[in-house]
Amino acid sequence: MLKRLAAAVGGLALALGGVVAAAPAANATPQACFYQVLEQHPGADPAVVEHACRTAADGSPESVRACYFELRREYVPAQLALDACRRASQE
């Protein structure tokens, strides 16, 4: 079950990647990711959010997925986690 969920989320992330790649990268930094998450989900642990956003900063698909799963373990809503991690990965 867990493998299917991971595959589905990975497929969704890849499918939505084209949409994000076409969008302008305004405020696209790990810092913007950090503030986006904490503004919309203030209960998240700032240290975990900072680590996740820094993880995504290199822009590789693996690092964005790692960021996403780290934020999801902190109970950040899925769409917010995905958007924030993508924001951190764009420069």
Side-chain angles (χ1 to χ4, degrees):
M1 179 69 177
L2 185 58
K3 289 183 180 182
R4 285 185 181 182
L5 178 61
V9 171
L12 177 63
L14 292 174
L16 295 175
V19 174
V20 172
N27 298 323
T29 64
Q31 185 177 16
C33 164
F34 176 81
Y35 286 116
Q36 179 182 2
V37 172
L38 291 182
E39 285 174 1
Q40 295 181 30
H41 190 73
D45 180 353
V48 172
V49 174
E50 179 182 10
H51 183 265
C53 291
R54 288 184 187 270
T55 299
D58 77 5
S60 72
E62 295 81 17
S63 64
V64 173
R65 276 194 296 272
C67 170
Y68 173 82
F69 286 117
E70 192 167 345
L71 291 178
R72 291 295 291 141
R73 280 192 298 271
E74 192 63 26
Y75 302 105
V76 173
Q79 190 61 50
L80 173 59
L82 185 60
D83 291 344
C85 291
R86 285 183 175 161
R87 174 175 275 184
S89 71
Q90 298 170 348
E91 294 190 57

